Amino acid sequence: MPSMLWFRRDLRLRDLPALGAAAAAGGDVVPLVVLDPALLASAGSVRQRCLFAALRALHESCEGRLVVRTGRPDHVLPAVAAECGATQVHGSAESTPYGRARDERVRAALAARGVGWVATGTPYAVGPGTLVTGGGTPYQVFTPFSRAWRDHGWPQPAPVPRGLRWATGIDSEALPADPNPADPSEPALPVCSEAAALQRLTEFVAEGLPTYATDRDRPDLRGTSELSMHLKYGTIHPRTVLAAVATSGVRGEGPERFVTELAWREYYADVLWHRPDSAWADLRGSLAGMAYDDPAPGSATEAAVSAWRAGRTGFPFVDAGMRQLLTEGWMHNRVRMVVASFLVKDLHVWWPHGARHFLAHLRDGDIASNNHGWQWVAGTGTDAAPYFRVFNPVTQGVKFDPDGDYVRRYVPELAHLAGRRAHEPWKAADGDAAGYPQRIVDHGQEREEALRRYDAARH
């Protein structure tokens, strides 16, 4: 009798404990993907393109046997189980608010048909909700969480089960094609597949890991792992990444810093597990009285936010990041912090407006990491006292893009300004010669205004 494996955020075969559990149940395995209209409606075209590319690669890995259905999972899974005679459905445990509620509906719907739901493993090295303090409460600060996370550890990557057999004869919909394969306005995306993820991991460990501690903050360099997209869709598991780092032979600050960044991803997932309300509301209520400007249609704030989205604020480092987002579906993490600070503290706009824009365009858009990263910048999240941290877009650019290469790459109107001059075009007589816009705000004045609003909210 076959068992079913429901793929979600785990679009791979290696290091997939749920696959091992499905295979161990005996019989053939029915590999199933459910295209959930609720999730597809919330994903921009970039994320849909990544998802469908990963599904096409997974279909090949499953020897062309991947079963694709569209509909509500609590309707689709019982129907497919009845079609193939499966008595168990396997999958990785979910941790997002939507995923947990959906899986509970699926469990109940399957149970009503006499079919068991078996959750094995998670998309994380340590499952969200696993770690608590000595007092049994969730961790409120990253550093102690990180220590507990490392002390807890994780198993070695799970192998692909031997003798795995995919079931045949089950009807499937055709896999979706790329939604925008020839649209010049759409970003050119890297390959999203298990093979591409493993190849990139190998390249990064050999070339990027030794210098990661210093290069990770340089958007002008290829200093990051570029694995965030693959972790998002589960074309690679973080355990596989951690194992590769541990066995790389690389020592020093590079691997230590990289593992810490993976811990941040797991921390934000843990925060969302314990506080699902923090997906779209302030985690900490201490700034509940903060005054924000409303980007209502036709307002000056809406015009400023539109300039921010288009990368036409007049601040080159900010504009380079926003244009990178639009042209690549990705943005360097250092620049994400700077552009987020600009929206919240220079334009005085509440962080969810920016978080939604990011999720609409990021190929690695993950609600836990994205939204809690925004809150970290906005001063309403996990950091203890962050609101005084107002990123200066000019000094940040000069420090982390010292030769201006990153700015000139994405802001061609400044290609004629050599070196760091690209960060301050208003100081050059020909700075706007190619049509680069003037600054839409005075950063110094807006910083003071942000701190004034913060002080008023506290008191």
Side-chain angles (χ1 to χ4, degrees):
M1 188 170 292
S3 59
M4 290 169 54
L5 175 63
W6 180 20
F7 287 97
R8 290 97 68 82
R9 289 198 291 160
D10 45 16
L11 305 181
R12 66 184 184 280
L13 300 186
R14 295 172 182 81
D15 198 6
L16 181 55
L19 174 58
D28 297 348
V29 176
V30 178
L32 175 69
V33 164
V34 181
L35 300 179
D36 184 345
L39 287 180
L40 289 177
S42 68
S45 63
V46 170
R47 280 192 287 151
Q48 288 191 28
R49 291 171 61 198
C50 290
L51 169 64
F52 296 153
L55 290 180
R56 289 191 289 271
L58 180 64
H59 182 61
E60 294 182 8
S61 298
C62 295
E63 302 170 5
R65 308 283 172 75
L66 185 65
V67 177
V68 180
R69 297 287 178 89
T70 300
R72 283 181 46 168
D74 55 328
H75 294 170
V76 171
L77 272 89
V80 176
E83 289 177 33
C84 66
T87 58
Q88 286 187 345
V89 176
H90 295 261
S92 303
E94 252 299 352
S95 60
T96 65
Y98 178 83
R100 291 164 70 181
R102 174 202 59 201
D103 286 5
E104 179 54 31
R105 292 192 296 269
V106 168
R107 185 204 62 75
L110 290 171
R113 301 284 189 93
V115 179
W117 163 244
V118 183
T120 307
T122 81
Y124 300 92
V126 179
T130 300
L131 302 176
V132 292
T133 67
T137 59
Y139 282 96
Q140 304 294 322
V141 179
F142 170 72
T143 300
F145 172 89
S146 177
R147 286 195 294 264
W149 179 78
R150 291 170 188 263
D151 290 343
H152 181 279
W154 38 83
Q156 288 297 307
V160 178
R162 292 185 177 181
L164 174 65
R165 300 189 309 274
W166 301 114
T168 60
I170 298 127
D171 290 340
S172 174
E173 301 170 10
L175 277 165
D178 190 327
N180 297 285
D183 186 344
S185 68
E186 286 290 310
L189 301 176
V191 177
C192 187
S193 70
E194 181 176 12
L198 293 170
Q199 178 181 347
R200 177 55 194 156
L201 175 61
T202 300
E203 293 171 353
F204 171 70
V205 168
E207 301 168 7
L209 189 59
T211 58
Y212 179 78
T214 54
D215 291 355
R216 59 181 285 272
D217 273 324
R218 292 282 301 273
D220 56 328
L221 305 176
R222 195 184 186 191
T224 65
S225 71
E226 300 172 15
L227 290 171
S228 57
M229 173 187 71
H230 296 293
L231 291 169
K232 156 69 180 175
Y233 299 96
T235 50
I236 199 167
H237 194 281
R239 259 193 323 259
T240 300
V241 179
L242 288 161
V245 172
T247 59
S248 66
V250 180
R251 298 293 179 263
E253 194 178 352
E256 179 70 17
R257 182 71 252 185
F258 180 67
V259 171
T260 297
E261 292 305 307
L262 289 174
W264 271 107
R265 178 178 180 269
E266 308 240 334
Y267 177 51
Y268 284 149
D270 189 74
V271 171
L272 187 60
W273 170 277
H274 291 289
R275 287 283 307 277
D277 61 299
S278 69
W280 292 107
D282 292 345
L283 176 70
R284 295 191 299 119
S286 57
L287 296 184
M290 176 69 75
Y292 294 106
D293 292 349
D294 182 9
S299 67
T301 301
E302 183 201 32
V305 172
S306 295
W308 174 82
R309 288 174 175 155
R312 294 192 60 80
T313 68
F315 290 88
F317 201 52
V318 171
D319 292 345
M322 298 307 292
R323 296 188 193 187
Q324 182 182 28
L325 176 64
L326 296 177
T327 58
E328 297 180 6
W330 186 81
M331 190 193 303
H332 189 279
N333 188 61
R334 166 58 57 174
V335 190
R336 293 188 199 198
M337 293 189 288
V338 174
V339 304
S341 178
F342 189 87
L343 182 72
V344 175
K345 297 175 182 177
D346 284 69
L347 303 185
H348 316 295
V349 173
W350 194 35
W351 65 265
H353 293 281
R356 288 190 175 92
H357 181 74
F358 270 28
L359 287 178
H361 293 279
L362 283 171
R363 63 185 187 234
D364 62 359
D366 171 87
I367 192 167
S369 294
N370 180 69
N371 291 25
H372 287 107
W374 269 91
Q375 293 202 53
W376 184 89
V377 172
T380 65
T382 57
D383 205 344
Y387 200 85
F388 296 106
R389 184 191 299 112
V390 180
F391 287 98
N392 184 312
V394 176
T395 58
Q396 287 282 309
V398 170
K399 181 176 180 180
F400 296 110
D401 180 30
D403 297 320
D405 292 336
Y406 176 74
V407 162
R408 284 186 294 274
R409 187 183 310 156
Y410 296 103
V411 187
E413 305 99 298
L414 301 178
H416 62 291
L417 298 180
R420 61 175 289 173
R421 295 174 69 231
H423 290 289
E424 299 176 285
W426 49 86
K427 289 186 176 181
D430 60 347
D432 59 356
Y436 187 67
Q438 298 295 313
R439 289 168 287 179
I440 63 173
V441 296
D442 181 307
H443 171 71
Q445 292 180 4
E446 301 308 332
R447 178 182 181 278
E448 292 302 315
E449 173 63 12
L451 296 178
R452 184 196 66 77
R453 295 187 187 201
Y454 169 67
D455 189 61
R458 285 196 309 155
H459 297 98

